[in-house]
């Protein structure tokens, strides 16, 4: 997801705020401070509505972070790395780079989020009871947060993939049928169905209850998002299934262009990038592989320095390059690329580069196979 700010790392997980998050944060804060609190507690001073509205809104998003963190920590316990957690308009997304390989692990990972929301909801209910006669604003805030966390859990438990409930549903199907592909297909179809129901429900609300048009629009919008997410997850799952079982040597391109390490950036661009159309080159001298250089590295050098900068100054040196082994599973290579945010990997056998795997190659490899129906 682009256009997100980095907030920093907690437990080694990068936290990010997508720009759409500010929209939902404003909406929640304004509706709490302007509508929800004033209509329930008309005697509060004006400023208190906004103070409590802002604090409540911040705590809501802290609850969303806790939900995503629960998924992430359980994923990590199961040996699955988590790259980042992003907050956006519909809540939070934990970017988990791999799918679980066993239904039990998937079940725990998926259930952890809603379970965490239920616990947080319970804690806020307790806070409400404790503060009931003592502080009305805090009790009011705790009550609202308790309900919204339970609603969050309930919403996420809807059994449509890729919602948490859909993942729980898939893990159960997977456990009982032993068939990952079939389970994914059924769970995503349910997910798409749920998306359509939301859209239908949202449109009905807009027509039948015109004063609730915004809620209707919102519901339809979520439905549209869910339907799309279900289709995208299904495509991704199909791809992964298709890649699984192929080795690096089967999906790599054997030719990998090399440039000497004393090539200038200008020579690289004029003599290699433009003529070959490639974005990735091995840097090698007589003594063997020195590193790799990509268009990304080239962009880090300002144009007037192209003639005086050599490739060896901007390359990723060989000890930092992630490499694949010829027998490595193609799916695990794709996952490694996702984890490290890279688009290419050289395939190395006995210290020698024998080929190259680029993300685009994997895609065209799969596309060709599906066109030929093999
Ligand atoms: Zn979740």
């Amino acid at each position: 997801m682009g256009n997100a700010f980095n907030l920093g790392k907690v437990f080694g997980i990068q936290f990010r705020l997508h720009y759409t998050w500010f929209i939902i944060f404003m909406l929640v804060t304004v509706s709490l401070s302007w509508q929800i609190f004033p209509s329930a507690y008309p005697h509060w001073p004006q400023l208190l509505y906004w103070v409590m509205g802002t604090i409540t809104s911040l705590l809501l998003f802290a609850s969303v972070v806790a939900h995503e963190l629960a998924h992430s920590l359980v994923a990590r316990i199961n040996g699955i790395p988590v790259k980042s957690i992003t907050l956006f308009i519909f809540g939070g997304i934990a970017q988990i780079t791999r799918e679980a390989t066993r239904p039990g692990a998937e079940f725990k990972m998926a259930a952890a989020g809603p379970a965490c929301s239920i616990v947080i909801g319970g804690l806020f209910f307790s806070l409400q009871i404790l503060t009931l006669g003592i502080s009305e604003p805090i009790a009011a805030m705790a009550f609202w947060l308790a309900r919204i966390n339970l609603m969050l859990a309930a919403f996420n438990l809807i059994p449509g993939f890729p919602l948490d409930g859909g993942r729980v549903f898939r893990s159960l199907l997977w456990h009982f049928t032993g068939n990952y592909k079939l389970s994914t297909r059924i769970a995503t179809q349910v997910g798409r169905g749920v998306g359509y129901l939301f859209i239908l429900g949202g449109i009905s609300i807009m027509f039948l209850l015109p004063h609730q048009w915004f809620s209707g629009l919102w519901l339809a919008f979520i439905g549209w998002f869910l339907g799309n997410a279900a289709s995208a997850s299904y495509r991704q799952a199909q791809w992964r299934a298709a890649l699984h079982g192929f080795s690096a040597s089967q999906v790599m391109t054997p030719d990998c262009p090399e440039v000497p390490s004393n090539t200038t950036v200008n020579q690289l661009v004029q003599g290699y990038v433009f003529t070959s159309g490639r974005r990735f080159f091995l840097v090698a001298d007589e003594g063997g592989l020195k590193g790799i250089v990509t268009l990304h590295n080239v962009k880090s050098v300002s144009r007037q320095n192209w003639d005086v900068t050599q490739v060896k100054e901007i390359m990723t040196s060989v000890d930092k390059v992630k490499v694949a082994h010829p027998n490595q599973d193609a799916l695990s290579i794709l996952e490694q690329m996702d984890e490290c945010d890279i688009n290419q990997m050289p395939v190395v056998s006995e210290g020698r580069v024998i080929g190259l795997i680029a993300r685009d190659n994997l895609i065209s490899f799969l596309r060709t196979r599906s066109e030929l129906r093999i």
Side-chain angles (χ1 to χ4, degrees):
M1 205 184 291
N3 297 317
F5 302 84
N6 284 334
L7 288 181
K9 280 189 175 184
V10 179
F11 298 110
I13 300 166
Q14 181 75 50
F15 278 77
R16 292 147 51 91
L17 268 190
H18 191 251
Y19 73 97
T20 56
W21 177 82
F22 292 96
I23 302 172
I24 190 72
F25 178 71
M26 293 295 287
L27 277 176
V28 172
T29 308
V30 168
S31 82
L32 279 166
S33 317
W34 214 14
Q35 219 176 9
I36 296 172
F37 288 151
S39 64
Y41 311 97
H43 52 279
W44 291 4
Q46 197 61 33
L47 181 67
L48 190 59
Y49 293 130
W50 289 93
V51 171
M52 292 317 290
T54 310
I55 297 175
T56 309
S57 192
L58 286 172
L59 285 173
L60 164 65
F61 291 103
S63 310
V64 173
V65 167
H67 174 114
E68 296 304 325
L69 208 52
H71 285 304
S72 305
L73 295 180
V74 174
R76 194 182 292 175
I77 291 168
N78 284 281
I80 297 169
V82 181
K83 248 173 83 172
S84 63
I85 292 178
T86 307
L87 289 182
F88 75 125
I89 195 159
F90 295 125
I93 287 185
Q95 202 198 347
I96 294 172
T97 51
R98 254 186 269 151
E99 298 265 318
T101 48
R102 288 181 321 275
E106 160 139 73
F107 179 89
K108 285 184 231 155
M109 262 161 67
C116 175
S117 294
I118 291 171
V119 170
I120 294 175
L123 289 175
F124 278 121
F125 265 128
S126 318
L127 180 65
Q128 188 220 355
I129 291 163
L130 286 174
T131 54
L132 211 47
I134 304 163
S135 167
E136 190 180 65
I138 294 181
M141 174 193 79
F143 183 55
W144 188 84
L145 284 168
R147 277 184 312 171
I148 200 94
N149 269 290
L150 294 183
M151 277 159 64
L152 201 68
F155 171 74
N156 274 294
L157 283 173
I158 294 171
F161 197 81
L163 287 174
D164 299 338
R167 291 182 180 276
V168 168
F169 178 50
R170 175 174 76 172
S171 71
L172 294 174
L173 287 174
W174 185 10
H175 176 76
F176 289 113
T177 63
N179 189 333
Y180 175 79
K181 256 174 142 171
L182 177 75
S183 312
T184 305
R185 196 165 68 222
I186 295 173
T188 41
Q189 272 162 357
V190 175
R192 245 177 259 159
V194 170
Y196 290 136
L197 279 180
F198 270 59
I199 294 175
L200 209 67
I203 293 173
S204 313
I205 289 175
M206 284 162 78
F207 279 103
L208 300 175
L209 306 164
H211 61 284
Q212 291 280 5
W213 68 272
F214 187 74
S215 312
L217 185 68
W218 191 245
L219 198 65
F221 200 26
I222 293 178
W224 169 81
F225 172 76
L226 280 181
N228 273 340
S231 304
S233 317
Y234 185 55
R235 261 196 311 276
Q236 215 181 2
Q238 272 183 312
W239 273 30
R240 303 171 74 88
L243 269 187
H244 182 68
F246 285 103
S247 66
S249 57
Q250 285 171 294
V251 295
M252 70 184 190
T253 44
D255 56 327
C256 23
E258 285 183 7
V259 296
S261 66
N262 60 2
T263 315
T264 65
V265 174
N266 199 25
Q267 286 169 330
L268 174 73
V269 173
Q270 303 293 343
Y272 295 87
V273 178
F274 283 162
T275 53
S276 69
R278 288 170 181 271
R279 315 165 56 89
F280 178 95
F281 300 89
L282 300 175
V283 182
D285 292 329
E286 300 294 305
L289 187 66
K290 293 279 183 278
I292 57 170
V293 67
T294 66
L295 222 48
H296 188 71
N297 300 129
V298 171
K299 282 191 235 163
S300 66
V301 184
S302 64
R303 190 71 197 266
Q304 65 263 35
N305 293 331
W306 278 14
D307 273 319
V308 291
T309 311
Q310 292 188 345
V311 159
K312 64 178 163 221
E313 297 167 56
I314 59 166
M315 69 182 187
T316 309
S317 66
V318 67
D319 48 305
K320 293 202 185 88
V321 175
K322 299 265 180 249
V323 298
H325 306 287
N327 296 326
Q328 196 177 337
D329 186 80
L331 177 58
S332 79
I333 294 172
L334 183 66
E335 287 168 345
Q336 222 175 329
M337 285 183 184
D338 283 341
E339 260 169 65
C340 309
D341 253 335
I342 49 178
N343 293 312
Q344 307 90 355
M345 253 162 104
V347 182
V348 172
S349 170
E350 291 164 2
R352 220 164 45 79
V353 177
I354 57 163
L356 193 65
I357 295 181
R359 226 177 253 276
D360 315 354
N361 291 143
L362 292 176
I363 297 167
S364 59
F365 172 79
L366 290 178
R367 194 170 291 148
T368 314
R369 288 186 59 86
S370 87
E371 260 176 50
L372 297 173
R373 298 181 194 287
I374 45 176

